[in-house]
Amino acid sequence: MVVDVDGKRVTGRDVQVKLVRKETSRAAVQENGSWQYKYDTVDVEVGSCALVSADAPVNCELVVDKAGSYDIRALITDPKGHKSLSKHPFYVYGEDAVVWQQDQHRVDMVPDKRTYEPGDKATVLVRSPFDKARGLVVIAREGIVSHYPIEVKGGAATIEVPIDEAQIPNVRASVLLVRGRVDVPGAPPGQDLGRPAFAVGQVDLKIEATRKKIALEVLPEKQEVAPKDTLKLKIKAKDAAGAPQKAAVAVMVVDEGVLSLMGFQTPDPLAFFHHDRDPGVSLYDMRQFLLAKKDVEPPPPPAPPPTRRRPTASIVMAIRASASAAAVPVEAAPAMPSAEWPIRPGPRRRR
């Protein structure tokens, strides 16, 4: 649909519609003496159509074949040659590998609506900085409501969050993802850019408080009264569906002129009682303190200790008992050291 600056519809204007996918590549580069990731995003046209504006909205069908980040762009040119471009970004999720241009420690979470009603089911896109990862989903509102594991493939996944009336006016969805050690193309040795890492993301889901609102209708008996007169009021209370609602009502009669001079604003009790609640939960991971792996040659194994052999020795004893005695060899025990022990005969005794 084409409108002018006054918001009036313009017919018969040519409109060029294009479907553009944002393709992002990631590489390891060295800047200021440190290695980090550098992202480069290019626009790739994946579809187009030509339309002519009319009083009623016109449309065309474009096929989205891959997961990723897209723009719908509509271009028109007025009779004076002035161009006007409108675009609407959106995301497509699937198992195709997608590189998102974001911090390596942050998980982007994109809800499918701005606000929800009790009974809805919120679908949240989880944009992971890792191609493959596992993690934990935590739904919290003043404490943990639920938690369950999640697995990411292709850099994206979705989670579904049931919206309950007890969660008015908000509930928080958080995701913590972890990834093991991987090889990073282009990374120099010794930097360990692919060491185990983690990423955290969260989003607050807003829930309308319309079910908590009571519609009051005040019907005075007459529109004008004099001083010291009595005015009868008829008060009707209805719930969000328009059905009669039993309620306790406080009636206050004030001087509107005085309040207008004070700039008084009537307080909203609904916002007072149903203000945003703290989740009461935080996610923490110790991998942020993990040191980089160093490529150092392992030391050589220690040499084996020298083998100590237990020598066996012979002890030769020369025994001289008489003039005709001869030397007799004797084998000693293995534990005794090798040595020669001469034995000299004592003095001869005379008979």
Side-chain angles (χ1 to χ4, degrees):
M1 181 183 297
V2 179
V3 297
D4 58 16
V5 293
D6 298 324
K8 297 180 179 180
R9 298 183 182 184
V10 179
T11 61
R13 192 66 53 85
D14 293 333
V15 182
Q16 300 295 326
V17 180
K18 294 182 179 181
L19 176 63
V20 178
R21 181 172 63 244
K22 296 180 177 294
E23 293 191 352
T24 302
S25 59
R26 179 176 57 207
V29 297
Q30 185 178 20
E31 292 184 359
N32 300 325
S34 63
W35 285 87
Q36 55 189 343
Y37 287 110
K38 182 179 180 181
Y39 297 88
D40 185 23
T41 301
V42 297
D43 293 342
V44 179
E45 183 179 332
V46 295
S48 63
C49 65
L51 301 173
V52 178
S53 63
D55 289 332
V58 293
N59 59 70
C60 67
E61 293 185 0
L62 299 174
V63 178
V64 179
D65 58 348
K66 291 179 61 177
S69 178
Y70 289 82
D71 277 346
I72 286 285
R73 302 177 182 179
L75 178 66
I76 63 171
T77 305
D78 65 9
K80 295 182 179 180
H82 300 149
K83 297 182 181 296
S84 178
L85 176 66
S86 297
K87 63 180 181 179
H88 175 71
F90 65 96
Y91 305 101
V92 177
Y93 62 90
E95 294 188 359
D96 301 317
V98 180
V99 177
W100 310 100
Q101 188 169 352
Q102 64 191 49
D103 183 11
Q104 283 290 295
H105 297 292
R106 188 185 77 243
V107 178
D108 285 342
M109 303 181 66
V110 184
D112 60 338
K113 294 181 181 180
R114 294 182 182 273
T115 60
Y116 298 90
E117 293 285 347
D120 291 347
K121 182 175 289 187
T123 301
V124 181
L125 173 66
V126 178
R127 299 191 346 177
S128 167
F130 314 128
D131 293 338
K132 294 182 180 181
R134 293 183 178 182
L136 182 68
V137 177
V138 178
I139 310 301
R141 184 182 184 275
E142 296 183 330
I144 296 178
V145 176
S146 62
H147 62 90
Y148 53 90
I150 183 177
E151 184 174 0
V152 175
K153 295 181 179 180
T158 57
I159 61 173
E160 292 185 345
V161 182
I163 303 300
D164 189 82
E165 184 175 348
Q167 298 168 350
I168 294 175
N170 69 303
V171 65
R172 176 169 295 182
S174 303
V175 172
L176 186 146
L177 298 177
V178 295
R179 183 212 64 193
R181 189 181 300 276
V182 296
D183 293 330
V184 178
Q191 295 296 321
D192 197 19
L193 294 182
R195 63 179 175 268
F198 77 100
V200 179
Q202 60 189 22
V203 63
D204 284 330
L205 305 177
K206 301 296 183 180
I207 306 171
E208 293 290 348
T210 52
R211 293 194 181 184
K212 300 292 185 178
K213 187 175 183 179
I214 298 176
L216 295 177
E217 184 180 3
V218 180
L219 302 174
E221 183 182 23
K222 47 188 176 181
Q223 298 298 324
E224 295 182 1
V225 293
K228 297 184 179 181
D229 284 352
T230 300
L231 179 64
K232 293 183 178 180
L233 301 177
K234 185 177 182 180
I235 301 176
K236 293 182 179 180
K238 298 180 181 180
D239 60 13
Q245 174 69 52
K246 185 178 179 181
V249 180
V251 179
M252 292 162 284
V253 180
V254 297
D255 190 331
E256 186 176 1
V258 175
L259 293 182
S260 61
L261 293 175
M262 298 171 55
F264 180 80
Q265 297 292 331
T266 303
D268 182 8
L270 193 65
F272 176 82
F273 289 106
H274 300 285
H275 57 83
D276 285 352
R277 305 291 180 173
D278 189 87
V281 176
S282 59
L283 301 181
Y284 192 78
D285 193 277
M286 295 291 290
R287 287 173 180 82
Q288 60 181 315
F289 301 111
L290 186 64
L291 299 179
K293 178 182 177 181
K294 299 296 183 181
D295 293 334
V296 180
E297 291 293 333
T307 304
R308 298 183 63 182
R309 300 181 60 186
R310 303 176 66 183
T312 58
S314 297
I315 298 177
V316 179
M317 296 183 179
I319 302 175
R320 297 178 182 274
S322 61
S324 62
V328 180
V330 179
E331 292 293 333
M336 298 180 63
S338 176
E340 290 187 359
W341 298 83
I343 299 177
R344 299 179 181 277
R348 295 181 179 180
R349 296 180 178 181
R350 294 180 179 180
R351 294 181 179 180

